[in-house]
Amino acid sequence: MIIEKLGLSEIPVYNVYAACGFGTENGIEYQIDTMLLPSKHLNHNSLPFQHARIITTTGDSMESTLSDDDQVLVDIRELEHPCKTWCLCD
């Protein structure tokens, strides 16, 4: 595919909101878009594109690291220690 030759990966964007404040309730989750990200960023963080999703933050309790309505990259694998010290923000 041309996308792969350009060094990009297609990452699904979901209508899921991560609470950075008082909390949020997600209803039915579904894909709303696709975003192209450089594969080298995913590879650098050992994140296979098949396990990457993009969701949106809501709230301001994480300012200045994360702002309300930021898009964040999430690793959906269930790992023993899933938390890493990196975040890719838009």
Side-chain angles (χ1 to χ4, degrees):
M1 269 179 102
I2 294 174
I3 293 170
E4 294 166 349
K5 289 181 182 179
L6 293 173
L8 300 171
S9 295
E10 292 182 289
I11 308 301
V13 179
Y14 277 77
N15 70 325
V16 173
Y17 296 88
C20 298
F22 292 106
T24 188
E25 185 174 324
N26 291 291
I28 298 172
E29 301 172 8
Y30 54 90
Q31 185 176 340
I32 57 173
D33 202 355
T34 301
M35 188 177 288
L36 297 175
L37 294 180
S39 300
K40 68 180 181 179
H41 292 307
L42 300 173
N43 295 337
H44 177 75
N45 291 292
S46 302
L47 177 55
F49 75 91
Q50 300 93 330
H51 299 289
R53 300 293 184 273
I54 295 173
I55 63 172
T56 303
T57 62
T58 182
D60 60 4
S61 70
M62 295 286 295
E63 292 279 358
S64 66
T65 302
L66 295 173
S67 297
D68 186 46
D69 211 35
D70 276 350
Q71 291 184 310
V72 294
L73 182 64
V74 177
D75 183 344
I76 63 167
R77 294 176 290 180
E78 292 187 27
L79 303 173
E80 186 174 331
H81 299 287
C83 295
K84 299 270 185 181
T85 56
W86 65 273
C87 181
L88 182 64
C89 300
D90 179 26

XYZ file of all heavy atoms in Angstrom:
707
model
N 0.820 -1.195 0.000
C 0.000 0.000 0.000
C 0.860 1.253 0.000
O 1.968 1.260 0.523
C -0.903 0.025 1.227
C -2.260 -0.618 1.040
S -3.215 -0.540 2.562
C -4.277 0.813 2.155
N 0.349 2.307 -0.548
C 1.068 3.579 -0.609
C 1.312 4.126 0.794
O 2.381 4.658 1.083
C 0.289 4.603 -1.462
C 0.262 4.129 -2.912
C 0.885 5.984 -1.346
C -0.583 4.968 -3.831
N 0.324 3.987 1.666
C 0.441 4.502 3.028
C 1.635 3.884 3.737
O 2.417 4.573 4.386
C -0.862 4.261 3.822
C -1.986 5.105 3.241
C -0.681 4.559 5.292
C -3.344 4.778 3.770
N 1.790 2.568 3.613
C 2.913 1.880 4.249
C 4.238 2.315 3.641
O 5.233 2.472 4.355
C 2.727 0.373 4.129
C 1.545 -0.141 4.918
C 1.146 -1.559 4.539
O 1.646 -2.087 3.527
O 0.311 -2.125 5.253
N 4.271 2.527 2.327
C 5.499 2.982 1.673
C 5.900 4.373 2.141
O 7.081 4.724 2.144
C 5.335 2.963 0.156
C 5.283 1.564 -0.419
C 5.134 1.583 -1.920
C 5.030 0.155 -2.449
N 4.850 0.122 -3.906
N 4.934 5.173 2.540
C 5.204 6.504 3.078
C 5.583 6.467 4.556
O 5.859 7.505 5.162
C 3.983 7.411 2.888
C 3.630 7.768 1.451
C 2.310 8.531 1.406
C 4.744 8.575 0.803
N 5.566 5.271 5.155
C 5.916 5.135 6.571
C 4.814 5.570 7.507
O 5.077 6.025 8.610
N 3.565 5.393 7.068
C 2.416 5.802 7.887
C 1.580 4.592 8.277
O 1.571 3.580 7.591
C 1.546 6.792 7.113
C 2.223 8.084 6.692
C 1.327 8.880 5.759
C 2.607 8.915 7.909
N 0.873 4.719 9.368
C -0.060 3.698 9.829
C -1.434 4.316 10.009
O -1.554 5.445 10.507
C 0.397 3.106 11.171
O 1.616 2.420 11.028
N -2.469 3.576 9.620
C -3.849 4.032 9.816
C -4.304 3.656 11.226
O -4.311 2.486 11.583
C -4.778 3.377 8.803
C -4.543 3.829 7.393
C -5.523 3.193 6.427
O -5.388 1.979 6.194
O -6.407 3.909 5.920
N -4.689 4.653 12.003
C -5.121 4.436 13.384
C -6.589 4.846 13.500
O -6.952 5.978 13.173
C -4.271 5.266 14.377
C -2.769 5.021 14.145
C -4.679 4.951 15.812
C -2.323 3.587 14.296
N -7.444 3.933 13.989
C -8.857 4.271 14.159
C -9.064 5.313 15.260
O -8.421 5.271 16.305
C -9.511 2.945 14.568
C -8.507 1.888 14.268
C -7.168 2.544 14.320
N -9.968 6.245 14.999
C -10.366 7.250 15.982
C -11.760 6.866 16.460
O -12.656 6.617 15.653
C -10.401 8.666 15.359
C -10.840 9.698 16.390
C -9.043 9.025 14.769
N -11.928 6.774 17.780
C -13.203 6.355 18.356
C -13.901 7.494 19.075
O -13.271 8.455 19.505
C -12.983 5.188 19.334
C -12.910 3.862 18.628
C -11.770 3.470 17.946
C -13.999 3.012 18.621
C -11.699 2.256 17.281
C -13.950 1.801 17.949
C -12.805 1.431 17.292
O -12.753 0.239 16.625
N -15.189 7.371 19.236
C -16.011 8.357 19.954
C -15.957 8.090 21.460
O -16.969 8.115 22.145
C -17.458 8.293 19.466
C -18.150 7.019 19.890
O -17.526 5.958 19.958
N -19.435 7.096 20.175
N -14.770 7.872 21.972
C -14.557 7.561 23.390
C -13.882 8.760 24.041
O -12.970 9.354 23.468
C -13.686 6.296 23.531
C -13.309 6.049 24.976
C -14.411 5.094 22.950
N -14.338 9.100 25.246
C -13.812 10.241 25.972
C -13.179 9.780 27.272
O -13.795 9.047 28.039
C -14.921 11.269 26.247
C -15.453 11.839 24.952
C -16.493 11.218 24.273
C -14.873 12.962 24.392
C -16.951 11.721 23.058
C -15.322 13.465 23.180
C -16.363 12.837 22.518
O -16.801 13.329 21.330
N -11.936 10.219 27.505
C -11.219 9.899 28.734
C -11.355 11.087 29.678
O -11.065 12.221 29.304
C -9.754 9.630 28.433
N -11.792 10.816 30.893
C -12.031 11.880 31.862
C -10.731 12.424 32.420
O -9.882 11.684 32.891
C -12.897 11.362 32.999
N -10.588 13.727 32.358
C -9.502 14.462 32.993
C -10.156 15.504 33.883
O -9.996 16.705 33.713
C -8.618 15.119 31.939
S -7.800 13.994 30.832
N -10.932 15.020 34.815
C -11.709 15.913 35.668
C -12.752 15.129 36.426
O -12.454 14.146 37.077
N -14.017 15.510 36.285
C -15.093 14.937 37.079
C -15.568 13.575 36.608
O -16.359 12.938 37.254
C -16.277 15.911 37.121
C -15.975 17.155 37.893
C -15.768 18.348 37.224
C -15.874 17.128 39.265
C -15.476 19.508 37.937
C -15.589 18.275 39.983
C -15.384 19.469 39.308
N -15.145 13.144 35.470
C -15.560 11.840 34.965
C -16.423 11.981 33.728
O -16.917 13.052 33.405
N -16.553 10.875 33.046
C -17.359 10.851 31.840
C -17.922 9.457 31.659
O -17.373 8.489 32.165
C -16.526 11.274 30.604
O -17.388 11.415 29.480
C -15.444 10.280 30.290
N -19.030 9.380 30.987
C -19.643 8.080 30.713
C -19.738 7.924 29.203
O -20.271 8.796 28.504
C -21.031 7.996 31.331
C -21.649 6.636 31.170
C -22.970 6.508 31.908
O -23.094 7.095 32.999
O -23.856 5.843 31.372
N -19.186 6.840 28.711
C -19.226 6.562 27.280
C -20.387 5.627 26.994
O -20.595 4.650 27.700
C -17.913 5.927 26.818
C -16.766 6.909 26.865
O -16.740 7.847 26.087
N -15.834 6.712 27.784
N -21.116 5.924 25.961
C -22.200 5.049 25.530
C -21.645 3.963 24.625
O -20.617 3.356 24.919
N -22.263 3.766 23.512
C -21.798 2.780 22.547
C -20.556 3.325 21.853
O -20.552 4.453 21.362
C -22.900 2.470 21.511
C -24.112 1.879 22.220
C -22.386 1.539 20.431
C -25.320 1.725 21.313
N -19.493 2.517 21.840
C -18.247 2.932 21.216
C -18.240 2.519 19.753
O -18.594 1.397 19.418
C -17.065 2.281 21.929
C -16.983 2.619 23.392
C -15.925 1.810 24.120
O -15.153 1.092 23.457
O -15.875 1.905 25.347
N -17.837 3.446 18.889
C -17.706 3.121 17.479
C -16.649 4.014 16.843
O -16.323 5.082 17.359
C -19.036 3.240 16.741
C -19.735 4.566 16.895
C -19.492 5.610 16.010
C -20.643 4.782 17.931
C -20.119 6.829 16.157
C -21.275 5.996 18.077
C -21.011 7.015 17.190
O -21.635 8.222 17.343
N -16.112 3.542 15.739
C -15.086 4.287 15.022
C -15.720 5.440 14.267
O -16.714 5.265 13.564
C -14.348 3.368 14.049
C -13.197 4.042 13.348
C -12.407 3.101 12.469
O -12.458 1.899 12.639
N -11.659 3.652 11.529
N -15.125 6.637 14.416
C -15.668 7.823 13.750
C -14.746 8.367 12.667
O -15.159 9.205 11.871
C -15.996 8.939 14.761
C -14.766 9.333 15.572
C -17.143 8.518 15.668
C -14.958 10.536 16.473
N -13.496 7.910 12.658
C -12.541 8.449 11.691
C -11.302 7.561 11.687
O -11.196 6.611 12.467
C -12.148 9.879 12.090
C -11.617 10.716 10.939
O -11.464 10.178 9.828
O -11.363 11.912 11.162
N -10.372 7.892 10.831
C -9.059 7.251 10.785
C -8.025 8.348 10.676
O -8.212 9.317 9.945
C -8.945 6.313 9.569
O -9.961 5.320 9.662
C -7.597 5.630 9.524
N -6.938 8.197 11.424
C -5.864 9.176 11.394
C -4.585 8.472 10.951
O -4.338 7.332 11.345
C -5.679 9.795 12.784
C -4.720 10.971 12.818
S -4.617 11.718 14.467
C -6.207 12.517 14.566
N -3.788 9.145 10.152
C -2.501 8.600 9.732
C -1.415 9.113 10.668
O -1.286 10.319 10.882
C -2.189 9.020 8.296
C -3.154 8.520 7.230
C -2.790 9.101 5.877
C -3.164 7.004 7.179
N -0.643 8.177 11.240
C 0.462 8.539 12.121
C 1.744 7.914 11.586
O 1.714 6.836 10.993
C 0.221 8.035 13.541
C -0.936 8.641 14.312
C -1.027 8.020 15.699
C -0.775 10.139 14.435
N 2.891 8.563 11.830
C 4.158 7.973 11.402
C 4.403 6.638 12.120
O 4.352 6.561 13.350
C 5.200 9.014 11.821
C 4.440 10.295 11.960
C 3.066 9.887 12.416
N 4.654 5.614 11.351
C 4.896 4.280 11.912
C 6.103 4.276 12.851
O 6.127 3.529 13.823
C 5.104 3.263 10.788
O 3.967 3.196 9.970
N 7.084 5.131 12.586
C 8.285 5.151 13.429
C 7.960 5.531 14.877
O 8.608 5.059 15.802
C 9.351 6.072 12.847
C 9.011 7.539 12.862
C 10.139 8.365 12.264
C 9.766 9.844 12.309
N 10.849 10.670 11.767
N 6.940 6.393 15.085
C 6.550 6.751 16.453
C 5.936 5.557 17.170
O 6.190 5.330 18.353
C 5.572 7.921 16.463
C 6.164 9.205 16.033
N 7.305 9.745 16.570
C 5.771 10.078 15.075
C 7.594 10.885 15.985
N 6.680 11.108 15.053
N 5.114 4.803 16.457
C 4.513 3.609 17.047
C 5.585 2.572 17.342
O 5.624 1.987 18.433
C 3.453 3.027 16.110
C 2.283 3.940 15.752
C 1.418 3.283 14.693
C 1.474 4.291 16.973
N 6.471 2.340 16.387
C 7.536 1.353 16.563
C 8.468 1.730 17.705
O 8.897 0.868 18.471
C 8.338 1.190 15.268
C 7.499 0.624 14.142
O 6.488 -0.036 14.369
N 7.906 0.907 12.917
N 8.778 3.022 17.828
C 9.664 3.500 18.897
C 9.095 3.164 20.273
O 9.833 2.933 21.222
C 9.880 5.009 18.766
C 10.711 5.592 19.862
N 12.075 5.422 19.933
C 10.369 6.329 20.946
C 12.535 6.024 21.012
N 11.517 6.592 21.640
N 7.786 3.138 20.381
C 7.125 2.856 21.658
C 6.567 1.435 21.733
O 5.747 1.138 22.596
C 6.006 3.875 21.894
C 6.570 5.247 22.150
O 7.185 5.476 23.170
N 6.403 6.147 21.202
N 7.023 0.568 20.827
C 6.618 -0.847 20.798
C 5.098 -1.011 20.751
O 4.535 -1.869 21.428
C 7.192 -1.598 22.008
O 8.590 -1.490 22.032
N 4.453 -0.178 19.964
C 2.997 -0.226 19.838
C 2.618 -0.640 18.422
O 2.708 0.160 17.490
C 2.379 1.138 20.169
C 0.866 1.272 20.028
C 0.127 0.216 20.847
C 0.415 2.666 20.418
N 2.205 -1.898 18.239
C 1.745 -2.320 16.917
C 0.487 -1.535 16.530
O -0.384 -1.300 17.356
C 1.411 -3.798 17.096
C 2.063 -4.210 18.368
C 2.153 -2.981 19.213
N 0.404 -1.112 15.273
C -0.728 -0.279 14.852
C -2.065 -0.977 15.078
O -3.077 -0.326 15.289
C -0.576 0.159 13.385
C -0.848 -0.918 12.371
C -2.112 -1.092 11.853
C 0.177 -1.755 11.947
C -2.360 -2.089 10.915
C -0.061 -2.749 11.013
C -1.332 -2.924 10.499
N -2.082 -2.308 15.084
C -3.330 -3.049 15.302
C -3.882 -2.826 16.716
O -5.055 -3.053 16.968
C -3.124 -4.557 15.105
C -2.650 -4.945 13.740
C -1.130 -5.038 13.642
O -0.403 -4.345 14.331
N -0.662 -5.896 12.755
N -3.024 -2.398 17.636
C -3.435 -2.200 19.025
C -3.521 -0.726 19.408
O -3.632 -0.392 20.580
C -2.469 -2.916 19.963
C -2.406 -4.391 19.742
N -3.443 -5.232 20.080
C -1.457 -5.168 19.181
C -3.120 -6.464 19.745
N -1.926 -6.456 19.190
N -3.455 0.149 18.425
C -3.496 1.585 18.690
C -4.882 2.138 18.372
O -5.501 1.767 17.374
C -2.444 2.297 17.848
N -5.354 3.020 19.225
C -6.613 3.727 19.009
C -6.409 5.169 19.444
O -5.566 5.471 20.288
C -7.762 3.132 19.833
C -8.077 1.685 19.548
C -8.649 1.487 18.149
N -9.025 0.110 17.915
C -8.237 -0.848 17.473
N -6.959 -0.595 17.244
N -8.677 -2.072 17.260
N -7.229 6.056 18.897
C -7.187 7.453 19.292
C -8.532 7.805 19.909
O -9.587 7.484 19.358
C -6.886 8.362 18.082
C -5.481 8.048 17.575
C -7.028 9.835 18.461
C -5.118 8.733 16.296
N -8.464 8.426 21.096
C -9.661 8.871 21.799
C -9.469 10.336 22.190
O -8.391 10.899 22.005
C -9.960 7.997 23.033
C -8.841 8.099 24.069
C -10.184 6.544 22.611
C -9.161 7.408 25.385
N -10.492 10.944 22.759
C -10.472 12.365 23.099
C -10.559 12.550 24.606
O -11.289 11.826 25.286
C -11.664 13.075 22.417
O -11.574 12.833 21.007
C -11.641 14.564 22.668
N -9.823 13.534 25.124
C -9.892 13.853 26.549
C -11.007 14.865 26.803
O -11.376 15.634 25.923
C -8.564 14.456 27.049
O -8.316 15.673 26.361
C -7.410 13.498 26.842
N -11.511 14.842 28.010
C -12.504 15.825 28.422
C -12.185 16.252 29.853
O -11.897 15.422 30.706
C -13.944 15.276 28.302
O -14.862 16.297 28.677
C -14.179 14.054 29.128
N -12.166 17.549 30.079
C -11.827 18.076 31.402
C -10.470 18.746 31.395
O -9.707 18.644 30.430
N -10.146 19.424 32.497
C -8.906 20.198 32.546
C -8.003 19.850 33.724
O -7.033 20.553 33.986
C -9.217 21.691 32.550
C -10.065 22.110 33.739
O -10.355 21.267 34.605
O -10.437 23.295 33.801
N -8.269 18.766 34.426
C -7.461 18.437 35.605
C -6.045 17.991 35.254
O -5.190 17.941 36.130
C -8.145 17.358 36.446
O -8.124 16.117 35.772
N -5.773 17.683 33.998
C -4.443 17.246 33.576
C -3.657 18.368 32.897
O -2.581 18.138 32.354
C -4.554 16.056 32.617
C -5.131 14.808 33.225
S -4.003 13.956 34.308
C -2.727 13.468 33.174
N -4.206 19.609 32.904
C -3.491 20.740 32.304
C -2.113 20.844 32.932
O -1.959 20.611 34.111
C -4.254 22.051 32.554
C -5.569 22.152 31.832
C -5.449 22.565 30.382
O -4.325 22.814 29.910
O -6.480 22.627 29.719
N -1.117 21.115 32.336
C -0.823 21.461 30.982
C -0.360 20.256 30.151
O -0.060 20.394 28.971
C 0.235 22.561 30.932
O 1.472 22.063 31.426
N -0.389 19.064 30.751
C -0.008 17.861 30.016
C -1.066 17.500 28.990
O -0.758 17.254 27.828
C 0.200 16.676 30.990
O 1.201 17.043 31.946
C 0.640 15.428 30.247
N -2.305 17.429 29.424
C -3.434 17.155 28.535
C -4.479 18.245 28.736
O -4.806 18.592 29.864
C -4.069 15.796 28.854
C -3.214 14.561 28.622
C -3.922 13.319 29.152
C -2.894 14.399 27.154
N -4.996 18.740 27.629
C -6.028 19.764 27.686
C -7.370 19.175 27.274
O -7.429 18.107 26.652
C -5.686 20.925 26.746
O -4.495 21.546 27.154
N -8.431 19.867 27.614
C -9.764 19.455 27.208
C -9.823 19.341 25.683
O -9.338 20.219 24.969
C -10.792 20.481 27.698
C -12.218 20.049 27.445
O -12.545 18.880 27.733
O -13.008 20.880 26.967
N -10.348 18.254 25.204
C -10.544 18.002 23.775
C -9.268 17.608 23.023
O -9.238 17.623 21.804
C -11.219 19.189 23.086
C -12.090 18.755 21.922
O -12.706 17.680 22.010
O -12.134 19.487 20.918
N -8.174 17.257 23.751
C -6.990 16.710 23.090
C -7.298 15.315 22.581
O -8.112 14.594 23.175
C -5.811 16.597 24.064
C -5.022 17.874 24.220
O -5.244 18.817 23.447
O -4.172 17.916 25.139
N -6.634 14.914 21.519
C -6.722 13.546 21.053
C -5.480 12.814 21.544
O -4.371 13.346 21.436
C -6.808 13.479 19.534
C -8.128 14.005 19.011
C -8.256 13.850 17.513
O -7.370 14.229 16.782
N -9.372 13.298 17.079
N -5.667 11.625 22.112
C -4.557 10.857 22.666
C -4.514 9.469 22.043
O -5.542 8.891 21.695
C -4.632 10.761 24.210
C -4.446 12.123 24.845
C -5.928 10.142 24.671
N -3.298 8.957 21.936
C -3.061 7.628 21.405
C -3.092 6.638 22.552
O -2.438 6.831 23.577
C -1.697 7.604 20.710
C -1.274 6.320 20.040
C -2.205 5.989 18.880
C 0.163 6.451 19.547
N -3.872 5.563 22.383
C -4.064 4.584 23.451
C -3.652 3.205 22.959
O -3.969 2.811 21.841
C -5.553 4.553 23.886
C -5.785 3.497 24.941
C -5.987 5.919 24.379
N -2.941 2.472 23.820
C -2.585 1.077 23.578
C -3.702 0.235 24.191
O -3.913 0.266 25.399
C -1.251 0.782 24.259
C -0.744 -0.627 24.026
O -1.532 -1.501 23.597
O 0.444 -0.863 24.286
N -4.440 -0.506 23.373
C -5.597 -1.251 23.878
C -5.248 -2.661 24.356
O -6.125 -3.385 24.803
C -6.719 -1.324 22.827
C -6.271 -2.084 21.583
C -7.217 0.071 22.491
C -7.407 -2.462 20.663
N -3.975 -3.041 24.275
C -3.589 -4.363 24.773
C -3.728 -4.399 26.291
O -3.537 -3.401 26.974
C -2.138 -4.690 24.413
C -1.904 -4.854 22.939
C -0.456 -5.083 22.658
N 0.273 -3.830 22.931
C 1.575 -3.686 22.784
N 2.320 -4.700 22.378
N 2.162 -2.528 23.038
N -4.047 -5.560 26.795
C -4.076 -5.751 28.239
C -2.740 -6.356 28.633
O -2.504 -7.547 28.486
C -5.235 -6.657 28.649
C -6.578 -6.001 28.424
C -7.721 -6.818 28.980
O -7.511 -7.581 29.934
O -8.828 -6.686 28.435
N -1.854 -5.497 29.120
C -0.512 -5.902 29.491
C -0.371 -5.914 31.004
O -1.130 -5.264 31.724
C 0.516 -4.936 28.892
C 0.472 -4.770 27.369
C 1.425 -3.665 26.932
C 0.847 -6.070 26.687
N 0.627 -6.630 31.470
C 0.861 -6.681 32.914
C 1.156 -5.274 33.451
O 0.666 -4.886 34.495
C 2.031 -7.613 33.219
C 2.242 -7.821 34.699
C 3.311 -8.865 34.960
O 3.480 -9.774 34.132
O 3.979 -8.753 36.004
N 1.963 -4.520 32.735
C 2.286 -3.140 33.106
C 2.009 -2.255 31.895
O 2.920 -1.887 31.166
C 3.754 -3.010 33.530
C 4.097 -3.849 34.715
N 3.681 -3.525 35.975
C 4.772 -5.011 34.818
C 4.116 -4.446 36.819
N 4.775 -5.361 36.142
N 0.735 -1.903 31.663
C 0.382 -1.188 30.431
C 0.795 0.278 30.394
O 0.843 0.870 29.343
C -1.132 -1.307 30.378
C -1.537 -1.421 31.806
C -0.431 -2.197 32.470
N 1.091 0.876 31.545
C 1.376 2.310 31.564
C 2.826 2.579 31.175
O 3.736 1.954 31.668
C 1.119 2.885 32.943
S -0.613 2.791 33.410
N 2.973 3.524 30.264
C 4.295 3.982 29.849
C 4.368 5.471 30.152
O 3.375 6.098 30.477
C 4.483 3.761 28.344
C 4.391 2.328 27.905
C 5.718 1.684 27.949
C 5.613 0.273 27.385
N 6.855 -0.405 27.416
N 5.538 6.033 30.027
C 5.702 7.452 30.344
C 5.697 8.282 29.082
O 6.432 9.256 28.975
C 7.011 7.687 31.117
O 8.084 7.171 30.330
C 6.965 7.035 32.474
N 4.875 7.939 28.116
C 4.792 8.728 26.884
C 3.338 8.898 26.500
O 2.488 8.124 26.862
C 5.579 8.068 25.748
C 5.015 6.753 25.317
C 5.299 5.528 25.854
C 4.058 6.505 24.281
N 4.594 4.547 25.219
C 3.835 5.108 24.255
C 3.394 7.323 23.381
C 2.947 4.522 23.347
C 2.524 6.717 22.488
C 2.322 5.339 22.484
N 3.106 9.950 25.768
C 1.773 10.241 25.271
C 1.920 11.076 24.011
O 2.726 12.006 23.984
C 0.982 11.012 26.319
S -0.684 11.390 25.803
N 1.198 10.720 22.979
C 1.228 11.485 21.745
C -0.047 12.307 21.663
O -1.129 11.760 21.593
C 1.330 10.543 20.534
C 1.422 11.177 19.167
C 2.717 11.994 19.049
C 1.398 10.099 18.090
N 0.097 13.611 21.751
C -1.059 14.509 21.775
C -1.125 15.303 20.494
O -0.113 15.633 19.899
C -0.983 15.465 22.948
S -0.948 14.644 24.539
N -2.343 15.622 20.112
C -2.569 16.457 18.932
C -2.684 17.895 19.363
O -3.294 18.263 20.283
C -3.861 16.000 18.219
C -4.176 16.826 17.007
O -3.239 17.389 16.417
O -5.359 16.893 16.667
